[in-house]
PDB file of all heavy atoms in Angstrom:
ATOM      1  N   THR A  22     -16.764   7.968 -13.441  1.00  0.00           N
ATOM      2  CA  THR A  22     -17.544   7.898 -14.673  1.00  0.00           C
ATOM      3  C   THR A  22     -18.726   6.979 -14.463  1.00  0.00           C
ATOM      4  O   THR A  22     -18.738   6.131 -13.563  1.00  0.00           O
ATOM      5  CB  THR A  22     -16.712   7.349 -15.854  1.00  0.00           C
ATOM      6  OG1 THR A  22     -16.606   5.925 -15.729  1.00  0.00           O
ATOM      7  CG2 THR A  22     -15.325   7.946 -15.898  1.00  0.00           C
ATOM      8  N   LEU A  23     -19.711   7.133 -15.315  1.00  0.00           N
ATOM      9  CA  LEU A  23     -20.878   6.254 -15.263  1.00  0.00           C
ATOM     10  C   LEU A  23     -20.526   4.841 -15.690  1.00  0.00           C
ATOM     11  O   LEU A  23     -21.298   3.906 -15.481  1.00  0.00           O
ATOM     12  CB  LEU A  23     -21.985   6.814 -16.158  1.00  0.00           C
ATOM     13  CG  LEU A  23     -22.559   8.174 -15.745  1.00  0.00           C
ATOM     14  CD1 LEU A  23     -23.549   8.653 -16.784  1.00  0.00           C
ATOM     15  CD2 LEU A  23     -23.197   8.097 -14.373  1.00  0.00           C
ATOM     16  N   LEU A  24     -19.344   4.675 -16.293  1.00  0.00           N
ATOM     17  CA  LEU A  24     -18.937   3.357 -16.752  1.00  0.00           C
ATOM     18  C   LEU A  24     -18.352   2.512 -15.631  1.00  0.00           C
ATOM     19  O   LEU A  24     -18.071   1.332 -15.822  1.00  0.00           O
ATOM     20  CB  LEU A  24     -17.901   3.493 -17.879  1.00  0.00           C
ATOM     21  CG  LEU A  24     -18.387   4.246 -19.125  1.00  0.00           C
ATOM     22  CD1 LEU A  24     -17.256   4.360 -20.130  1.00  0.00           C
ATOM     23  CD2 LEU A  24     -19.582   3.542 -19.740  1.00  0.00           C
ATOM     24  N   ALA A  25     -18.135   3.109 -14.468  1.00  0.00           N
ATOM     25  CA  ALA A  25     -17.630   2.325 -13.342  1.00  0.00           C
ATOM     26  C   ALA A  25     -18.670   1.283 -12.948  1.00  0.00           C
ATOM     27  O   ALA A  25     -19.872   1.465 -13.151  1.00  0.00           O
ATOM     28  CB  ALA A  25     -17.316   3.231 -12.155  1.00  0.00           C
ATOM     29  N   ASN A  26     -18.202   0.196 -12.354  1.00  0.00           N
ATOM     30  CA  ASN A  26     -19.113  -0.888 -11.978  1.00  0.00           C
ATOM     31  C   ASN A  26     -18.950  -1.187 -10.491  1.00  0.00           C
ATOM     32  O   ASN A  26     -17.985  -1.828 -10.098  1.00  0.00           O
ATOM     33  CB  ASN A  26     -18.822  -2.133 -12.815  1.00  0.00           C
ATOM     34  CG  ASN A  26     -19.823  -3.250 -12.530  1.00  0.00           C
ATOM     35  OD1 ASN A  26     -20.901  -2.981 -12.029  1.00  0.00           O
ATOM     36  ND2 ASN A  26     -19.429  -4.488 -12.811  1.00  0.00           N
ATOM     37  N   PRO A  27     -19.876  -0.734  -9.614  1.00  0.00           N
ATOM     38  CA  PRO A  27     -21.048   0.076  -9.959  1.00  0.00           C
ATOM     39  C   PRO A  27     -20.667   1.539 -10.158  1.00  0.00           C
ATOM     40  O   PRO A  27     -19.591   1.954  -9.712  1.00  0.00           O
ATOM     41  CB  PRO A  27     -21.938  -0.090  -8.716  1.00  0.00           C
ATOM     42  CG  PRO A  27     -20.957  -0.274  -7.601  1.00  0.00           C
ATOM     43  CD  PRO A  27     -19.815  -1.043  -8.178  1.00  0.00           C
ATOM     44  N   PRO A  28     -21.532   2.348 -10.834  1.00  0.00           N
ATOM     45  CA  PRO A  28     -21.222   3.770 -11.008  1.00  0.00           C
ATOM     46  C   PRO A  28     -21.027   4.442  -9.654  1.00  0.00           C
ATOM     47  O   PRO A  28     -21.828   4.259  -8.742  1.00  0.00           O
ATOM     48  CB  PRO A  28     -22.446   4.313 -11.741  1.00  0.00           C
ATOM     49  CG  PRO A  28     -23.043   3.119 -12.415  1.00  0.00           C
ATOM     50  CD  PRO A  28     -22.792   1.972 -11.486  1.00  0.00           C
ATOM     51  N   ARG A  29     -19.953   5.209  -9.524  1.00  0.00           N
ATOM     52  CA  ARG A  29     -19.687   5.865  -8.247  1.00  0.00           C
ATOM     53  C   ARG A  29     -18.757   7.034  -8.466  1.00  0.00           C
ATOM     54  O   ARG A  29     -18.028   7.087  -9.460  1.00  0.00           O
ATOM     55  CB  ARG A  29     -19.032   4.888  -7.246  1.00  0.00           C
ATOM     56  CG  ARG A  29     -17.691   4.347  -7.711  1.00  0.00           C
ATOM     57  CD  ARG A  29     -17.113   3.322  -6.746  1.00  0.00           C
ATOM     58  NE  ARG A  29     -16.821   3.874  -5.446  1.00  0.00           N
ATOM     59  CZ  ARG A  29     -15.657   4.466  -5.146  1.00  0.00           C
ATOM     60  NH1 ARG A  29     -14.722   4.611  -6.058  1.00  0.00           N
ATOM     61  NH2 ARG A  29     -15.435   4.910  -3.944  1.00  0.00           N
ATOM     62  N   LYS A  30     -18.792   7.945  -7.532  1.00  0.00           N
ATOM     63  CA  LYS A  30     -17.819   9.027  -7.517  1.00  0.00           C
ATOM     64  C   LYS A  30     -16.809   8.747  -6.407  1.00  0.00           C
ATOM     65  O   LYS A  30     -17.177   8.270  -5.329  1.00  0.00           O
ATOM     66  CB  LYS A  30     -18.505  10.367  -7.299  1.00  0.00           C
ATOM     67  CG  LYS A  30     -19.392  10.793  -8.450  1.00  0.00           C
ATOM     68  CD  LYS A  30     -19.941  12.192  -8.242  1.00  0.00           C
ATOM     69  CE  LYS A  30     -20.794  12.619  -9.430  1.00  0.00           C
ATOM     70  NZ  LYS A  30     -21.288  14.011  -9.276  1.00  0.00           N
ATOM     71  N   PRO A  31     -15.563   9.031  -6.631  1.00  0.00           N
ATOM     72  CA  PRO A  31     -14.540   8.708  -5.631  1.00  0.00           C
ATOM     73  C   PRO A  31     -14.543   9.680  -4.462  1.00  0.00           C
ATOM     74  O   PRO A  31     -15.205  10.721  -4.483  1.00  0.00           O
ATOM     75  CB  PRO A  31     -13.228   8.801  -6.424  1.00  0.00           C
ATOM     76  CG  PRO A  31     -13.526   9.718  -7.549  1.00  0.00           C
ATOM     77  CD  PRO A  31     -14.970   9.517  -7.881  1.00  0.00           C
ATOM     78  N   THR A  32     -13.783   9.315  -3.448  1.00  0.00           N
ATOM     79  CA  THR A  32     -13.623  10.156  -2.262  1.00  0.00           C
ATOM     80  C   THR A  32     -12.166  10.558  -2.109  1.00  0.00           C
ATOM     81  O   THR A  32     -11.258   9.878  -2.593  1.00  0.00           O
ATOM     82  CB  THR A  32     -14.079   9.414  -0.991  1.00  0.00           C
ATOM     83  OG1 THR A  32     -13.239   8.259  -0.801  1.00  0.00           O
ATOM     84  CG2 THR A  32     -15.524   8.975  -1.102  1.00  0.00           C
ATOM     85  N   LEU A  33     -11.972  11.673  -1.424  1.00  0.00           N
ATOM     86  CA  LEU A  33     -10.635  12.141  -1.050  1.00  0.00           C
ATOM     87  C   LEU A  33     -10.564  12.151   0.466  1.00  0.00           C
ATOM     88  O   LEU A  33     -11.423  12.738   1.125  1.00  0.00           O
ATOM     89  CB  LEU A  33     -10.389  13.544  -1.609  1.00  0.00           C
ATOM     90  CG  LEU A  33      -9.134  14.277  -1.127  1.00  0.00           C
ATOM     91  CD1 LEU A  33      -7.877  13.550  -1.579  1.00  0.00           C
ATOM     92  CD2 LEU A  33      -9.129  15.723  -1.643  1.00  0.00           C
ATOM     93  N   HIS A  34      -9.563  11.480   1.031  1.00  0.00           N
ATOM     94  CA  HIS A  34      -9.442  11.380   2.481  1.00  0.00           C
ATOM     95  C   HIS A  34      -8.019  11.742   2.883  1.00  0.00           C
ATOM     96  O   HIS A  34      -7.072  11.016   2.556  1.00  0.00           O
ATOM     97  CB  HIS A  34      -9.795   9.969   2.955  1.00  0.00           C
ATOM     98  CG  HIS A  34      -9.819   9.819   4.441  1.00  0.00           C
ATOM     99  ND1 HIS A  34     -10.031   8.602   5.074  1.00  0.00           N
ATOM    100  CD2 HIS A  34      -9.657  10.723   5.446  1.00  0.00           C
ATOM    101  CE1 HIS A  34     -10.003   8.778   6.374  1.00  0.00           C
ATOM    102  NE2 HIS A  34      -9.765  10.056   6.631  1.00  0.00           N
ATOM    103  N   LEU A  35      -7.875  12.861   3.588  1.00  0.00           N
ATOM    104  CA  LEU A  35      -6.577  13.320   4.074  1.00  0.00           C
ATOM    105  C   LEU A  35      -6.544  13.161   5.583  1.00  0.00           C
ATOM    106  O   LEU A  35      -7.319  13.809   6.300  1.00  0.00           O
ATOM    107  CB  LEU A  35      -6.348  14.789   3.700  1.00  0.00           C
ATOM    108  CG  LEU A  35      -6.507  15.137   2.218  1.00  0.00           C
ATOM    109  CD1 LEU A  35      -6.380  16.643   2.008  1.00  0.00           C
ATOM    110  CD2 LEU A  35      -5.481  14.392   1.384  1.00  0.00           C
ATOM    111  N   TRP A  36      -5.670  12.278   6.070  1.00  0.00           N
ATOM    112  CA  TRP A  36      -5.522  12.115   7.505  1.00  0.00           C
ATOM    113  C   TRP A  36      -4.857  13.355   8.089  1.00  0.00           C
ATOM    114  O   TRP A  36      -4.290  14.180   7.368  1.00  0.00           O
ATOM    115  CB  TRP A  36      -4.727  10.854   7.821  1.00  0.00           C
ATOM    116  CG  TRP A  36      -5.447   9.573   7.473  1.00  0.00           C
ATOM    117  CD1 TRP A  36      -6.285   9.353   6.431  1.00  0.00           C
ATOM    118  CD2 TRP A  36      -5.360   8.344   8.186  1.00  0.00           C
ATOM    119  NE1 TRP A  36      -6.740   8.058   6.423  1.00  0.00           N
ATOM    120  CE2 TRP A  36      -6.190   7.407   7.500  1.00  0.00           C
ATOM    121  CE3 TRP A  36      -4.679   7.926   9.318  1.00  0.00           C
ATOM    122  CZ2 TRP A  36      -6.341   6.091   7.922  1.00  0.00           C
ATOM    123  CZ3 TRP A  36      -4.825   6.608   9.742  1.00  0.00           C
ATOM    124  CH2 TRP A  36      -5.653   5.706   9.053  1.00  0.00           C
ATOM    125  N   LYS A  37      -4.867  13.429   9.414  1.00  0.00           N
ATOM    126  CA  LYS A  37      -4.456  14.678  10.071  1.00  0.00           C
ATOM    127  C   LYS A  37      -3.003  15.043   9.806  1.00  0.00           C
ATOM    128  O   LYS A  37      -2.645  16.222   9.812  1.00  0.00           O
ATOM    129  CB  LYS A  37      -4.693  14.591  11.579  1.00  0.00           C
ATOM    130  CG  LYS A  37      -3.854  13.571  12.319  1.00  0.00           C
ATOM    131  CD  LYS A  37      -4.180  13.549  13.794  1.00  0.00           C
ATOM    132  CE  LYS A  37      -3.298  12.573  14.570  1.00  0.00           C
ATOM    133  NZ  LYS A  37      -1.883  12.996  14.583  1.00  0.00           N
ATOM    134  N   ASP A  38      -2.142  14.068   9.532  1.00  0.00           N
ATOM    135  CA  ASP A  38      -0.735  14.377   9.300  1.00  0.00           C
ATOM    136  C   ASP A  38      -0.391  14.537   7.822  1.00  0.00           C
ATOM    137  O   ASP A  38       0.759  14.788   7.469  1.00  0.00           O
ATOM    138  CB  ASP A  38       0.151  13.265   9.890  1.00  0.00           C
ATOM    139  CG  ASP A  38       0.061  13.204  11.406  1.00  0.00           C
ATOM    140  OD1 ASP A  38      -0.069  14.274  12.032  1.00  0.00           O
ATOM    141  OD2 ASP A  38       0.134  12.085  11.968  1.00  0.00           O
ATOM    142  N   ALA A  39      -1.378  14.405   6.940  1.00  0.00           N
ATOM    143  CA  ALA A  39      -1.121  14.536   5.512  1.00  0.00           C
ATOM    144  C   ALA A  39      -1.131  16.000   5.094  1.00  0.00           C
ATOM    145  O   ALA A  39      -1.859  16.823   5.649  1.00  0.00           O
ATOM    146  CB  ALA A  39      -2.170  13.756   4.720  1.00  0.00           C
ATOM    147  N   VAL A  40      -0.326  16.319   4.089  1.00  0.00           N
ATOM    148  CA  VAL A  40      -0.241  17.679   3.539  1.00  0.00           C
ATOM    149  C   VAL A  40      -0.762  17.638   2.099  1.00  0.00           C
ATOM    150  O   VAL A  40      -0.328  16.810   1.297  1.00  0.00           O
ATOM    151  CB  VAL A  40       1.206  18.198   3.567  1.00  0.00           C
ATOM    152  CG1 VAL A  40       1.301  19.568   2.900  1.00  0.00           C
ATOM    153  CG2 VAL A  40       1.730  18.258   5.002  1.00  0.00           C
ATOM    154  N   TRP A  41      -1.678  18.562   1.785  1.00  0.00           N
ATOM    155  CA  TRP A  41      -2.302  18.651   0.461  1.00  0.00           C
ATOM    156  C   TRP A  41      -1.977  20.010  -0.152  1.00  0.00           C
ATOM    157  O   TRP A  41      -2.304  21.052   0.404  1.00  0.00           O
ATOM    158  CB  TRP A  41      -3.804  18.474   0.601  1.00  0.00           C
ATOM    159  CG  TRP A  41      -4.604  18.588  -0.669  1.00  0.00           C
ATOM    160  CD1 TRP A  41      -5.282  19.682  -1.122  1.00  0.00           C
ATOM    161  CD2 TRP A  41      -4.842  17.554  -1.626  1.00  0.00           C
ATOM    162  NE1 TRP A  41      -5.926  19.404  -2.288  1.00  0.00           N
ATOM    163  CE2 TRP A  41      -5.675  18.102  -2.636  1.00  0.00           C
ATOM    164  CE3 TRP A  41      -4.441  16.223  -1.738  1.00  0.00           C
ATOM    165  CZ2 TRP A  41      -6.103  17.364  -3.731  1.00  0.00           C
ATOM    166  CZ3 TRP A  41      -4.869  15.492  -2.825  1.00  0.00           C
ATOM    167  CH2 TRP A  41      -5.682  16.052  -3.808  1.00  0.00           C
ATOM    168  N   ARG A  42      -1.305  19.989  -1.297  1.00  0.00           N
ATOM    169  CA  ARG A  42      -0.987  21.224  -2.011  1.00  0.00           C
ATOM    170  C   ARG A  42      -1.499  21.069  -3.438  1.00  0.00           C
ATOM    171  O   ARG A  42      -1.038  20.182  -4.159  1.00  0.00           O
ATOM    172  CB  ARG A  42       0.520  21.483  -2.018  1.00  0.00           C
ATOM    173  CG  ARG A  42       1.110  21.675  -0.622  1.00  0.00           C
ATOM    174  CD  ARG A  42       2.617  21.684  -0.656  1.00  0.00           C
ATOM    175  NE  ARG A  42       3.190  21.821   0.680  1.00  0.00           N
ATOM    176  CZ  ARG A  42       4.406  21.425   1.017  1.00  0.00           C
ATOM    177  NH1 ARG A  42       5.198  20.858   0.108  1.00  0.00           N
ATOM    178  NH2 ARG A  42       4.838  21.595   2.247  1.00  0.00           N
ATOM    179  N   ALA A  43      -2.452  21.903  -3.838  1.00  0.00           N
ATOM    180  CA  ALA A  43      -3.120  21.670  -5.110  1.00  0.00           C
ATOM    181  C   ALA A  43      -3.386  22.989  -5.821  1.00  0.00           C
ATOM    182  O   ALA A  43      -3.602  24.031  -5.195  1.00  0.00           O
ATOM    183  CB  ALA A  43      -4.424  20.919  -4.883  1.00  0.00           C
ATOM    184  N   LYS A  44      -3.389  22.899  -7.177  1.00  0.00           N
ATOM    185  CA  LYS A  44      -3.598  24.106  -7.975  1.00  0.00           C
ATOM    186  C   LYS A  44      -4.173  23.728  -9.343  1.00  0.00           C
ATOM    187  O   LYS A  44      -3.659  22.846 -10.027  1.00  0.00           O
ATOM    188  CB  LYS A  44      -2.265  24.845  -8.153  1.00  0.00           C
ATOM    189  CG  LYS A  44      -2.359  26.131  -8.966  1.00  0.00           C
ATOM    190  CD  LYS A  44      -1.055  26.911  -8.912  1.00  0.00           C
ATOM    191  CE  LYS A  44       0.077  26.126  -9.553  1.00  0.00           C
ATOM    192  NZ  LYS A  44       1.341  26.915  -9.603  1.00  0.00           N
ATOM    193  N   GLY A  45      -5.250  24.398  -9.710  1.00  0.00           N
ATOM    194  CA  GLY A  45      -5.780  24.272 -11.049  1.00  0.00           C
ATOM    195  C   GLY A  45      -6.359  22.916 -11.383  1.00  0.00           C
ATOM    196  O   GLY A  45      -6.303  22.495 -12.542  1.00  0.00           O
ATOM    197  N   ASN A  46      -6.963  22.237 -10.400  1.00  0.00           N
ATOM    198  CA  ASN A  46      -7.495  20.893 -10.626  1.00  0.00           C
ATOM    199  C   ASN A  46      -9.013  20.900 -10.809  1.00  0.00           C
ATOM    200  O   ASN A  46      -9.687  21.892 -10.537  1.00  0.00           O
ATOM    201  CB  ASN A  46      -7.125  19.980  -9.453  1.00  0.00           C
ATOM    202  CG  ASN A  46      -5.636  19.897  -9.248  1.00  0.00           C
ATOM    203  OD1 ASN A  46      -4.880  19.680 -10.188  1.00  0.00           O
ATOM    204  ND2 ASN A  46      -5.192  20.087  -8.010  1.00  0.00           N
ATOM    205  N   TRP A  47      -9.544  19.763 -11.212  1.00  0.00           N
ATOM    206  CA  TRP A  47     -10.987  19.547 -11.360  1.00  0.00           C
ATOM    207  C   TRP A  47     -11.333  18.298 -10.565  1.00  0.00           C
ATOM    208  O   TRP A  47     -10.784  17.221 -10.795  1.00  0.00           O
ATOM    209  CB  TRP A  47     -11.324  19.352 -12.835  1.00  0.00           C
ATOM    210  CG  TRP A  47     -12.787  19.167 -13.129  1.00  0.00           C
ATOM    211  CD1 TRP A  47     -13.830  19.163 -12.253  1.00  0.00           C
ATOM    212  CD2 TRP A  47     -13.358  18.966 -14.421  1.00  0.00           C
ATOM    213  NE1 TRP A  47     -15.010  18.966 -12.904  1.00  0.00           N
ATOM    214  CE2 TRP A  47     -14.760  18.844 -14.237  1.00  0.00           C
ATOM    215  CE3 TRP A  47     -12.834  18.873 -15.703  1.00  0.00           C
ATOM    216  CZ2 TRP A  47     -15.623  18.628 -15.303  1.00  0.00           C
ATOM    217  CZ3 TRP A  47     -13.702  18.665 -16.763  1.00  0.00           C
ATOM    218  CH2 TRP A  47     -15.080  18.548 -16.565  1.00  0.00           C
ATOM    219  N   TYR A  48     -12.258  18.466  -9.614  1.00  0.00           N
ATOM    220  CA  TYR A  48     -12.694  17.357  -8.780  1.00  0.00           C
ATOM    221  C   TYR A  48     -14.169  17.057  -9.056  1.00  0.00           C
ATOM    222  O   TYR A  48     -15.003  17.966  -9.111  1.00  0.00           O
ATOM    223  CB  TYR A  48     -12.532  17.691  -7.290  1.00  0.00           C
ATOM    224  CG  TYR A  48     -11.170  18.245  -6.931  1.00  0.00           C
ATOM    225  CD1 TYR A  48     -11.057  19.486  -6.297  1.00  0.00           C
ATOM    226  CD2 TYR A  48     -10.009  17.546  -7.227  1.00  0.00           C
ATOM    227  CE1 TYR A  48      -9.823  20.004  -5.954  1.00  0.00           C
ATOM    228  CE2 TYR A  48      -8.764  18.060  -6.897  1.00  0.00           C
ATOM    229  CZ  TYR A  48      -8.676  19.294  -6.270  1.00  0.00           C
ATOM    230  OH  TYR A  48      -7.444  19.810  -5.951  1.00  0.00           O
TER     231      TYR A  48
END
């Protein structure tokens, strides 16, 4: 959000051994 101090958008970091299963999300 713009209310963050400082304003920023987050990051997603998946290392090589991580498993990501996702459905119906908003990034």
